[in-house]
Structure formats: structure tokens, C-alpha cells
Amino acid sequence: MPPTPPAAPAPSHTGRAPAAPVLPNEAEPAPQRLVPVRPTVTCAAAAVVLLLLALAAYAPVLNLAFH
């Protein structure tokens, strides 16, 4: 099967091809958006992860099938 040629852009209602998209100026870097991280949320997430790891490590101790 021969490859199909790429489709031509559809003309607008004025009969002309659509304009090229406006690109940002490369000389000016985009401002960086910083997302604040709450220390309490980070500590709470770490505590939950440590609790789950502790439960996973302690489960074989309580399970009689591992003895």
C-alpha cells in the first residue's frame, strides 16, 4: 500500500490558509512557577509511609505460617 500524502491545511472562511501559531519570544525565559511544599504535609506523608513499612515488616512476626 503506497503511503498517503499529508493533508493540506483547510482554508479559512476568507480563502487563505490559517496563520502560523504565535510562539513566545525565546530571548525571554518563561517565569518559573514554584509550588510551595508544606512541611507538615511532607512529614505526615513520611509518617504514613513509615507506618506502612513497619506493618509490612511486623506482619511475618505475627503470622504463624512464617514460623
Side-chain angles (χ1 to χ4, degrees):
M1 175 181 264
T4 57
S12 64
H13 66 283
T14 60
R16 296 183 297 184
V22 178
L23 299 176
N25 187 0
E26 293 182 11
E28 299 176 14
Q32 294 183 355
R33 298 179 65 195
L34 299 177
V35 179
V37 178
R38 307 270 188 253
T40 54
V41 175
T42 307
C43 290
V48 169
V49 169
L50 289 175
L51 177 67
L52 291 174
L53 287 174
L55 288 173
Y58 194 60
V61 174
L62 296 178
N63 194 344
L64 295 177
F66 288 101
H67 290 268

